[in-house]
Amino acid sequence: MATLSTLLILADSRLPTGGHVHSGGVEEAVTSRVVVDLETLEAYLRRRIRTSGLVTASVAAAVHREDLTVADADAETDARTPSPAARQASRAQGRGLLRLARRVWPAVEQDWDWDSLGPRPHLAVTAGRVGAVSGLDPHQSALSLVYTTMTGTATAAQRLLALDPADVAALTFGLASLCEDTAALAAAGLADLSDPLLDEFAQRHAQRERPLFVS
């Protein structure tokens, strides 16, 4: 099915949106010895999925359904992202996805165009609009973001800790049901959870000299 293929492509880590240079805070978590092995990585991924993953996905689903205007979605995302560094990372990834969207869907038959998102939209805002244009439903838009929240961080941790890729893949398979449940919750309405530890990691990372990842 075309819709399933679109979902798989959007969730692919090879998608040229710049996401591969962001670790979701796990570089700082590794440096701080909070994440040191598979067990602690799993705990970190669960935190990411249930907080920032849920919030980002919920905004994307609301944009997809047109429950929020672009301006309102941008403001809601800012309000739900206490860390300035995390907000900057979100906008960088949003701009990367927007650049790709212009190439893939250059002419959309709607009453708006890609310029309406502004030059530096949050990732959630761009993802919600992309989901609607590409034919996904709001739950699928949410699921794509939850999934990439998990896999982007997991892949970064694999590289930083020199973990066995098969072990990390098995770990992500084990979190599949949590991703599905979180996406369903995100599609049901706006979430407003935050995690002070993840915010702290984002800020520390922004001040670190010569990090491997942008965030």
Side-chain angles (χ1 to χ4, degrees), residues 6 10 15-19 55-66 68-78 87-105 108 112-138 140-142 144-145 148:
T6 299
L10 288 172
L15 203 67
T17 61
V55 169
T56 302
S58 74
V59 174
V63 171
H64 187 133
R65 292 190 303 264
E66 298 186 355
L68 291 175
T69 65
V70 168
D72 287 343
D74 190 85
E76 293 289 352
T77 305
D78 270 346
R87 291 198 294 270
Q88 184 176 351
S90 171
R91 291 189 183 280
Q93 293 176 81
R95 183 170 62 177
L97 181 56
L98 176 59
R99 177 178 177 274
L100 177 65
R102 291 181 188 276
R103 183 77 59 87
V104 179
W105 299 282
V108 290
W112 47 260
D113 58 29
W114 292 115
D115 289 339
S116 67
L117 298 187
R120 296 181 67 250
H122 276 294
L123 175 60
V125 178
T126 309
R129 184 61 59 82
V130 165
V133 169
S134 66
L136 301 181
D137 62 39
Q140 290 171 323
S141 288
S144 175
L145 273 185
T148 53

Side-chain angles (χ1 to χ4, degrees), residues 36-58:
V36 297
D37 54 20
L38 279 172
E39 182 178 358
T40 50
L41 174 58
E42 179 178 357
Y44 187 85
L45 292 177
R46 288 183 180 274
R47 289 181 78 139
R48 283 269 294 158
I49 292 168
R50 288 170 169 159
T51 54
S52 55
L54 170 63
V55 169
T56 302
S58 74

Side-chain angles (χ1 to χ4, degrees), residues 132-158:
V133 169
S134 66
L136 301 181
D137 62 39
H139 175 265
Q140 290 171 323
S141 288
L143 180 59
S144 175
L145 273 185
V146 173
Y147 176 80
T148 53
T149 293
M150 172 184 68
T151 56
T153 300
T155 300
Q158 175 187 309

